[in-house]
Every structure is written in structure tokens, then in C-alpha cells.
Amino acid sequence: MAEWRPRVNNGYRPPSYRSEAGRREITLLVVMGACSILLWGSPYGGYLLYPFSILATWFHEMGHGLAALAFGYDFERLVIFQNGSGYALYTTTDSPSRLSQAMIAGAGLIGPTLAGCLLILASARRAATRSALVILGLVLIGSTLIWVRSTTGWIVLPLLGVASLAIAFKGREQWRRFAVQFLGVQGCISIYRDFGYLFSEGFVRGGQAQLSDTGVISQALFLPYWFWGGLITAMICAMVFWSLRRAHS
């Protein structure tokens, strides 16, 4: 005997950005991002946000490493130091082209924002929210096993991954949604953990001068590094604006 039951819509739609509730939620996300940037720049803010500082570095270096893989290079290791800095090492038997050098350098700047925007978009639906947390948790743990070669990364990244999985399966709906949005914001703003890096030609590490990512792009494609820093900033702002509007449309 067939039994009829009404169809229940279990999907969740966040408040529209046109509504007061939607504007409050978007404002909260923007404030969270601004507060994180300010705390990173304060004397003790880095200690308060230390796990997320490590996460910001992971987002950045994974962008480099995955872009290198996309070009067919060997993503050899990802190293995160105790102070939150790090690097991704990739190798190739051939000399990298100018385009690949610029794209790999740019991926470390744009890639984290792309990941963050996807997390924000995922917060628009209940099932996607949980899936995003599960995927993020598994990628954090998996990348640690495959590429990470530093004690700080071995400790912090799996803990963040386990926390993401725990919230996905044990957390309440509002906590899952907040976690996805917060982590999305951290991805979007991760490059601004050191704002000057985006607008600098290079830096010194271990007594050796090295080019910044925008310095690498400038050397590969011409035009000054500050031009690329400004262009990337504009792209990041546009991506974040679009994702917030889309998630609350």
C-alpha cells in the first residue's frame, strides 16, 4: 500500500542581503575579517589568533603547491615555522616558464580567497555547510600526511582538521554555519596577515634576499610589484563581495 507524505524542504536559506537580518550577518562577517587583520597587526593579537595564523599560512602555501601540481611540477613539501611563516617547495626538471612562475606565485595570493569564498557560499545550505567542514577537515589532515614537513604543521593542522570534523558531525546547525563562515573569512583575508608583504618587492629570510609573490609576478610579467598588489587586492574585494551577495541572495 502506498503511503503519501508531504515533501519537507530541509534546505536552509540565509536571510537576504536586502533584509535587516541579512545586512547584520554580512556586517558581522566583515567585522570579523577586519578584527582579525587588526589583531594580526597588534603586539599580542598573533597569540590570540595563533591557530588561524597557521591556517592562513596553510591556505597561502597550499595555493602555491596545488598550482605547481596543476602545471605538472612536483609539490615536494610544505613547511610552516613556529612564527607563522612558511614556504611551499616545488621542483621541476625543466625551467619554469614565465607564465607558470607568475601563476604559481599568484595562486598563493588568490587561491586562499577562492577557498574562503567557496566556504562562505557553502554556508547558504545546510547540507553544503556540513560537507564543506568535512572536506576542509579531511584536506587539512591529508595535506599534513602528504606534504607538511614541520613540527608546527604536524601539530596545529591536524588539530584544526579534527575540530572541523567534530563540528561537522557533532555541532549544532548554528555552530556549523558560524564555523564555515568564520573559516571562510579567514581564507579570504589570510594574505593580509602581513599586509606589507603584498606591496613589497621582497624580503630577507635566513640572511638571504628573496622576492615576494608580487615581486615574482613583476619579474615574470613586467609592470611593478605594487601594480600587481593593487590588482590582486581589487580581485579579492570583488570575489568576497560577490560571494557574500550570492550566499545571501
Side-chain angles (χ1 to χ4, degrees):
M1 178 179 178
E3 180 182 1
W4 177 86
R5 293 183 181 180
R7 179 178 294 177
V8 178
N9 182 10
N10 291 321
Y12 171 80
R13 295 297 298 169
S16 169
Y17 68 89
R18 296 185 180 91
S19 68
E20 183 178 350
R23 288 194 295 269
R24 283 200 305 266
E25 187 167 287
I26 292 174
T27 300
L28 176 61
L29 293 176
V30 173
V31 169
M32 284 194 301
C35 289
S36 296
I37 293 173
L38 291 174
L39 283 172
W40 277 329
S42 66
Y44 301 104
Y47 295 105
L48 295 174
L49 293 177
Y50 186 72
F52 303 107
S53 296
I54 302 302
L55 182 65
T57 302
W58 177 81
F59 273 123
H60 177 78
E61 302 304 342
M62 282 294 292
H64 289 315
L66 294 179
L69 282 176
F71 277 98
Y73 304 147
D74 182 21
F75 182 13
E76 187 172 309
R77 69 171 69 98
L78 190 159
V79 175
I80 300 178
F81 299 110
Q82 188 175 359
N83 64 1
S85 63
Y87 67 88
L89 177 65
Y90 69 92
T91 58
T92 174
T93 55
D94 303 320
S95 297
S97 66
R98 287 178 176 269
L99 178 61
S100 66
Q101 291 181 55
M103 294 294 288
I104 292 170
L109 305 174
I110 295 294
T113 300
L114 176 61
C117 288
L118 290 175
L119 288 172
I120 291 174
L121 291 172
S123 70
R125 297 189 180 277
R126 184 176 301 166
T129 299
R130 173 172 284 173
S131 297
L133 287 170
V134 171
I135 292 171
L136 179 62
L138 293 176
V139 172
L140 280 164
I141 295 171
S143 65
T144 302
L145 295 173
I146 298 171
W147 293 299
V148 174
R149 298 294 182 270
S150 62
T151 303
T152 299
W154 288 333
I155 295 173
V156 178
L157 295 177
L159 288 176
L160 289 172
V162 170
S164 181
L165 293 172
I167 295 172
F169 292 110
K170 300 296 183 180
R172 296 180 178 180
E173 173 62 29
Q174 59 267 35
W175 284 108
R176 290 200 299 268
R177 179 170 162 75
F178 175 80
V180 165
Q181 291 182 336
F182 180 79
L183 292 171
V185 168
Q186 294 301 308
C188 290
I189 65 169
S190 60
I191 188 56
Y192 297 109
R193 187 172 66 87
D194 183 3
F195 184 80
Y197 177 77
L198 192 61
F199 292 93
S200 63
E201 187 174 12
F203 59 96
V204 177
R205 173 185 288 161
Q208 294 184 344
Q210 299 185 27
L211 287 173
S212 66
D213 290 328
T214 49
V216 172
I217 298 173
S218 175
Q219 187 180 72
L221 301 181
F222 309 106
L223 297 176
Y225 64 89
W226 52 261
F227 169 84
W228 296 107
L231 178 62
I232 289 169
T233 295
M235 293 174 63
I236 288 173
C237 289
M239 291 167 66
V240 173
F241 177 78
W242 180 85
S243 65
L244 288 173
R245 291 273 309 253
R246 183 71 177 175
H248 293 82
S249 61

